[in-house]
Amino acid sequence: MNKLFSNIKIAELLGMLSSSRRIAIVTHVNPDGDAIGSTIGWSNFLKERGFNPVIIVPNHFPDFLKWINCTENIFVHFNQKDTCEKLLRNADLLFCLDFNKLSRLDALGEYIMTLNVKKVLIDHHIGVEEKDFNLVFSKTPISSTCELVYRIIWQITNKNRVSPQIAEALYAGIMTDTGAFAHSCSSELFRIVADLMECGIDREKIHASVYNSFSVNRMRLMGYCISKMEILPEYRTAYITLTKEELDRFRFEPGDTEGFVNIPLSIKDVVLSVFFTESKDNYIKLSLRSTGDFSVDAMARKYFTGGGHKNASGGKSFVPLNETVAFFKSVLPEFEELKIEN
Ligand code: 5GP
Ligand code: MN
């Protein structure tokens, strides 16, 4: 396997670790499988090296990730603000996993910006805000932050074996960020996955825990979303909207709409799928997915104060849902790549 990072950079990381005693790890708002998997995997690695790191997330994470070992110890800033901020004030090293700028952490990020703790980034998103971090491990073509964590551990230890606790968490994040090995998979990633399988994980249990654990409400919400999906054939686009009222009707829980944005991409000729949700913080949350060359990162960056990856991005809109959708439709003609190829 190729080394992604220079020996100098790895030495710098080890130097920072050896001069630190209180370590905290943070990840992005609405943590997904890669965010939780990478923080748990990295935290377990640090524990094995004698540290006692704490993990802090901005808000709740979905139930279908709660089987991952140690997730019961994660602190949630949204409902444990004082405890989390005290832990952060006392930290002398902060690992920032699976996001590219502190603003992706909302209020937690704003608090971190007031501290002068050393920050190390491990991430695979486009557009890192270098000024937010002291040391950056960023590679955008890599499938997931979990893959990066595995590769950093491999560079540190020179071994392709990790404990089952690390392997389970990293496997879960790689599986979810690649859509169960559908995209962003290099041949090296499959070698890594093979190594993880030999570290004592129960692959089928992990798959079932994430993908076969829908609540009835979530399944019905999925059916509802498919039935109200709108198609714009001239732009090879599909979109779905959900209002707060609709979310309440289906007793929405965090994570319930995870993955729904991908569904329209299985329609022949649809290359762009957008999912609009009214968030309780009074903005519209956009999830964007594409196949092939169309960059949703470019679209989210230009029009929806967001970004992410070429084929998977997020964003926000601060006007009502109907106006957001109208605006979205009004910018589509600008994107020549979406028009039907002759
Ligand atoms: P999702 O649609 O699953 O929320 O996010 C898709 C990808 O875009 C993820 O990699 C996520 O980190 C990124 N992303 C989601 N929302 C935002 C946002 O508001 N701003 C930026 N810069 N990235 C986002
Ligand atoms: Mn990720």
Side-chain angles (χ1 to χ4, degrees):
M1 184 159 66
N2 288 317
K3 283 184 182 174
L4 286 184
F5 302 106
S6 68
N7 291 343
I8 297 172
K9 206 169 219 184
I10 296 288
E12 221 176 317
L13 169 64
L14 293 175
M16 280 171 127
L17 274 173
S18 64
S19 60
S20 306
R21 286 181 38 241
R22 288 176 303 272
I23 297 177
I25 305 174
V26 292
T27 189
H28 60 78
V29 75
N30 301 329
D32 58 7
D34 191 31
I36 297 298
S38 60
T39 52
I40 295 285
W42 186 241
S43 158
N44 285 343
F45 176 69
L46 294 177
K47 281 186 203 161
E48 289 168 17
R49 293 178 79 89
F51 296 98
N52 188 20
V54 292
I55 300 176
I56 299 168
V57 298
N59 60 347
H60 303 278
F61 55 96
D63 282 351
F64 65 78
L65 297 173
K66 292 190 175 158
W67 57 271
I68 301 176
N69 69 89
C70 297
T71 46
E72 65 280 8
N73 299 328
I74 292 178
F75 292 92
V76 181
H77 183 248
F78 184 79
N79 54 6
Q80 297 163 282
K81 190 169 177 286
D82 293 344
T83 314
C84 291
E85 294 186 356
K86 187 166 180 222
L87 289 166
L88 286 167
R89 265 198 308 282
N90 289 333
D92 50 13
L93 183 59
L94 180 64
F95 283 99
C96 300
L97 267 56
D98 200 37
F99 63 92
N100 51 3
K101 48 187 173 217
L102 284 171
S103 60
R104 288 280 291 125
L105 272 56
D106 291 355
L108 175 60
E110 280 167 31
Y111 181 72
I112 292 170
M113 282 180 212
T114 69
L115 306 172
N116 91 49
V117 59
K118 278 176 289 166
K119 297 175 219 75
V120 179
L121 177 76
I122 306 178
D123 178 51
H124 68 139
H125 293 93
I126 300 169
V128 169
E129 193 80 83
E130 300 271 344
K131 72 169 173 30
D132 285 353
F133 311 100
N134 302 81
L135 183 62
V136 169
F137 292 85
S138 161
K139 294 281 171 195
T140 52
I142 294 297
S143 69
S144 52
T145 301
C146 283
E147 180 182 346
L148 286 177
V149 166
Y150 178 88
R151 284 168 172 272
I152 292 170
I153 294 176
W154 173 74
Q155 282 196 238
I156 293 173
T157 61
N158 259 316
K159 290 188 187 129
N160 48 14
R161 288 290 172 275
V162 291
S163 65
Q165 290 74 23
I166 296 177
E168 154 181 291
L170 297 184
Y171 182 91
I174 292 170
M175 181 185 78
T176 52
D177 247 30
T178 58
F181 308 103
H183 46 78
S184 315
C185 293
S186 63
S187 52
E188 287 198 342
L189 176 69
F190 282 115
R191 288 191 191 98
I192 291 171
V193 169
D195 286 337
L196 290 173
M197 285 175 67
E198 288 170 14
C199 292
I201 58 167
D202 186 341
R203 209 188 61 79
E204 285 174 19
K205 187 201 93 179
I206 296 175
H207 191 99
S209 307
V210 172
Y211 295 116
N212 302 343
S213 64
F214 271 46
S215 64
V216 173
N217 283 328
R218 184 180 175 203
M219 189 58 109
R220 295 208 192 285
L221 179 59
M222 186 193 233
Y224 178 73
C225 286
I226 294 171
S227 68
K228 70 175 302 210
M229 168 181 66
E230 299 280 348
I231 308 282
L232 305 170
E234 64 278 34
Y235 299 112
R236 298 189 290 167
T237 293
Y239 71 90
I240 297 167
T241 60
L242 278 181
T243 62
K244 275 190 225 172
E245 184 279 319
E246 288 168 317
L247 290 169
D248 288 345
R249 208 190 312 155
F250 287 89
R251 298 180 201 283
F252 173 81
E253 294 287 337
D256 274 1
T257 54
E258 186 82 33
F260 288 5
V261 63
N262 294 305
I263 298 171
L265 290 179
S266 40
I267 302 169
K268 188 168 181 293
D269 293 335
V270 167
V271 297
L272 170 63
S273 168
V274 183
F275 196 83
F276 300 86
T277 333
E278 265 182 358
S279 105
K280 53 181 180 328
D281 301 319
N282 285 326
Y283 61 81
I284 308 299
K285 156 86 184 125
L286 277 80
S287 271
L288 305 96
R289 299 290 186 274
S290 63
T291 54
D293 288 338
F294 183 70
S295 170
V296 283
D297 173 71
M299 182 183 250
R301 221 170 258 280
K302 184 160 180 194
Y303 291 116
F304 299 107
T305 57
H309 311 279
K310 185 173 137 205
N311 296 126
S313 285
K316 289 178 182 154
S317 161
F318 300 92
V319 295
L321 185 57
N322 55 349
E323 290 176 35
T324 301
V325 172
F327 174 70
F328 166 71
K329 287 184 181 175
S330 78
V331 303
L332 283 175
E334 183 192 314
F335 296 92
E336 289 292 331
E337 317 92 287
L338 289 175
K339 296 179 188 159
I340 299 163
E341 287 158 344
N342 292 311

